[in-house]
Amino acid sequence: RNGRMKLVPKLVAAPAWASSILGTLRMERPAILGRRYLDVKYFHGENYLEIAVDLNSSRVAQQIMKHTLNNCNRMIIDYCITIEGQAAGELPERPLAAVQVVRPD
């Protein structure tokens, strides 16, 4: 699971300085969860899958959070989670879940 669960973020709206910082930190680049950078725990049952990501386990994630937490009420961010396709039969990748976070407090 750690080698294939992919998070695809998209910054929809943000102040110009935040877009610049997050672009420099490569925030909009798809990332494989659990691949050395973040601690990830999976919980599953018969009809659900829960993914818990510890953002404090990565210095890059800590820097992103440091720059965005005070200004997230001015941001809109889309997130998509998919399983990375590694063979022709697994493509195209399809979303497992998607969420849009709109100006959270």
Side-chain angles (χ1 to χ4, degrees):
R1 287 180 281 197
N2 279 347
R4 298 189 66 185
M5 195 69 65
K6 185 189 290 187
L7 175 68
V8 184
K10 172 71 175 147
L11 191 59
V12 177
W17 65 267
S19 296
S20 175
I21 288 172
L22 295 174
T24 301
L25 293 173
R26 301 170 69 114
M27 187 265 189
E28 288 193 320
R29 182 176 176 195
I32 301 297
L33 296 175
R35 201 181 266 176
R36 294 182 290 150
Y37 308 110
L38 297 168
D39 290 337
V40 180
K41 291 187 170 90
Y42 299 91
F43 305 94
H44 58 89
E46 188 174 321
N47 294 317
Y48 74 93
L49 171 65
E50 179 179 339
I51 304 167
V53 181
D54 181 6
L55 295 178
N56 285 316
S57 63
S58 162
R59 286 188 183 214
V60 172
Q62 288 174 2
Q63 290 299 313
I64 291 170
M65 296 304 292
K66 176 181 165 186
H67 291 295
T68 59
L69 277 181
N70 293 333
N71 296 286
C72 64
N73 61 348
R74 296 170 27 189
M75 296 182 181
I76 300 173
I77 305 171
D78 289 342
Y79 294 101
C80 175
I81 295 179
T82 185
I83 296 175
E84 180 183 43
Q86 296 180 342
E90 298 171 343
L91 297 173
E93 297 173 346
R94 294 174 192 89
L96 292 176
V99 66
Q100 183 175 66
V101 181
V102 179
R103 297 180 178 90
D105 286 338

